[in-house]
Structure formats: structure tokens, C-alpha cells
Amino acid sequence: MPTFYGTEVTSRLMLGTAQYPSPAILADAFRRSGAGIATVSVRREASGDQAGQDFWALIRDLGVAVLPNTAGCYSVREAVTTAQMARELFDTNWIKLEVIGHADTLQPDPFGLVDAAAQLAEDGFEVFPYCTEDLVLCERLVEVGCKVLMPWGAPIGTGLGLNNIYGLRSLRAHFPDIPLVVDAGLGLPSQAAHAMELGYEAVLLNTAVAKAGDPAAMAQAFGLAVQAGALAASADPMDARDMAAPSTPVFGKAML
């Protein structure tokens, strides 16, 4: 199982906690998926009202690791402040860092992301940066202290899957010792399995489960797909080839 900042988690699947039809369905989705990490928006929890307290009690009852995020932050200052709030609320140094740079695509701001990651790492945070598959950006993030990278598969909530397989494969080859997590854009379990087949440690998703007709069943499907993809990657799969090769030996075949 993957290890993040020295902590081994119980599953290669991370699930978000937003947009579910009800708390009961959210809890059932986590149970059936076997997800090991729940991402939680700080804004949703920070109000301190009864609804927020009930939600936090539900997350605690799931028995999974909590990864607070800075979702919706468009500036370094906003992201850093939100991360500091998260550490107080959830008593963890883990933070999924989002610094959004484009309102339509929700693409990360690479400059702000590196700046915020540097400040947070200096302050003792263990940063999980939501980034693109750009090698230069990822190198900068590692240089400032990030020991996990979370490149997107596609823009958040689109369900487009792995838009740049070459880029994701290159990232895996370039950072063989850094845990990599495909974060955002997955819509089908087959896409999650593909990410694992590329050698990634985990996947993170929310919308594909929460907005499914049966969220709990879809969560279970993603959980199984992640297991299948990881097992396939460890089994040393065959290389693709351009020419056909017979699967049945021709030696000893009767000559007519």
C-alpha cells in the first residue's frame, strides 16, 4: 500500500466528501469502496455550526485518514491561511494544496502553487499539491519540499479521464521514488485502473462517485478497479506491439 510522508494508508483510493445526496450515502460509499483517505473542504467544516459538527462526526466515524484541502483558493495568501485553519481544525500537518489559476478549467496556478507550497513546507506542513503533469512545475514542487505529487488526469469534474497519457507516463519515469496520485478528471473505473497500470500509487476522485445514479455501487467499482490496476502493474504486463503474434505454438503443427 502507498506511503505518504511516512504514513502507510490502507487503500490506493482516495475519495472526496462533497456533493453526495445524503450523509448515509456518503458513508456507504466509503465503506463499499474501501477508500483509505477522505478529502475534506475546510470551508465546509469551518463554520462551527451544528451541521458542520455533524459532518465532522460522520467523517471521524468512517475510520479513514483525513486530508484537508484548500479547494477554491485563487491566491497564495488565501491558500496558506486556509491550510493554517485546516491544521487547527483537523489536527494534521497534511494538506491538499490547491491554488486555482483559471476559473473555467480550474487549472492550478503553477507560480502561486510553488510559492504556497514553499511557505507551507517551511511551516511544517506535509503538502499534497494539486498540479498539472508539467515536469518543470513538478520539479519545482519537489525542490521546495513536496514529497507527493498529485497531477490532474483532466479538469476537475469533467470525467474525461487521462487526457495526457504521455505526460503522466513521463512524470512516472522522471520521479520513480516520489508517490504520484492522479487527482481530478476521472469519470469511470476503467480510467482509474489505467492510472494504476501506469505505475501511480493512488487516485483521488469525487464527482464520478457522488454524482452517479448509485454512488455506493460506483464507489465499490472504483475500489475494485484500483485494486485490479495495481495488481496488473505489479505483474509486469506485456509490451504493446505493432505486429500480430500467434498465441498458439506452431511447432509440431501438421503440415498438409
Side-chain angles (χ1 to χ4, degrees):
M1 288 301 166
T3 298
F4 303 118
Y5 290 100
T7 299
E8 185 176 19
V9 296
T10 60
S11 171
R12 297 182 183 276
L13 178 63
M14 307 179 185
L15 281 182
T17 55
Q19 306 183 74
Y20 289 83
S22 72
I25 291 175
L26 184 158
D28 195 24
F30 269 84
R31 283 192 291 267
R32 290 179 62 175
S33 70
I37 293 178
T39 60
V40 179
S41 170
V42 175
R43 283 180 173 80
R44 180 171 181 175
E45 181 57 24
S47 65
D49 59 16
Q50 187 59 46
Q53 294 174 20
D54 291 345
F55 175 76
W56 179 220
L58 170 65
I59 299 302
R60 286 199 305 267
D61 289 344
L62 294 176
V64 300
V66 174
L67 177 61
N69 67 44
T70 64
C73 292
Y74 281 81
S75 72
V76 172
R77 180 179 180 182
E78 185 181 16
V80 170
T81 300
T82 303
Q84 292 167 341
M85 291 171 54
R87 181 155 63 181
E88 294 182 10
L89 284 166
F90 300 106
D91 191 27
T92 179
N93 286 324
W94 280 13
I95 190 71
K96 180 193 169 190
L97 178 62
E98 297 185 26
V99 183
I100 303 302
H102 193 277
D104 291 333
T105 65
L106 301 181
Q107 179 172 327
D109 172 359
F111 310 102
L113 185 62
V114 172
D115 189 358
Q119 292 185 39
L120 292 172
E122 180 69 21
D123 194 27
F125 282 89
E126 296 171 333
V127 182
F128 295 66
Y130 163 61
C131 57
T132 66
E133 68 280 12
D134 183 89
L135 287 176
V136 177
L137 167 60
C138 289
E139 282 184 337
R140 298 294 182 270
L141 290 168
V142 171
E143 287 171 1
V144 299
C146 295
K147 298 181 180 179
V148 179
L149 296 171
M150 302 183 74
W152 66 353
I156 295 171
T158 61
L160 293 172
L162 307 181
N163 273 357
N164 184 1
I165 294 172
Y166 168 80
L168 293 171
R169 185 182 289 117
S170 297
L171 200 64
R172 176 73 285 173
H174 195 71
F175 296 102
D177 300 321
I178 298 290
L180 300 179
V181 181
V182 169
D183 175 16
L186 300 180
L188 293 171
S190 57
Q191 297 163 353
H194 194 182
M196 303 308 300
E197 290 165 1
L198 293 176
Y200 278 59
E201 273 70 27
V203 298
L204 191 158
L205 56 125
N206 190 158
T207 308
V209 168
K211 290 298 186 180
D214 186 340
M218 185 61 77
Q220 182 178 3
F222 269 101
L224 294 170
V226 167
Q227 293 180 43
L231 184 59
S234 68
D236 190 18
M238 65 175 284
D239 294 326
R241 53 181 292 155
D242 293 327
M243 298 296 292
S247 56
T248 301
V250 297
F251 181 78
K253 179 181 177 182
M255 303 299 292
L256 301 178

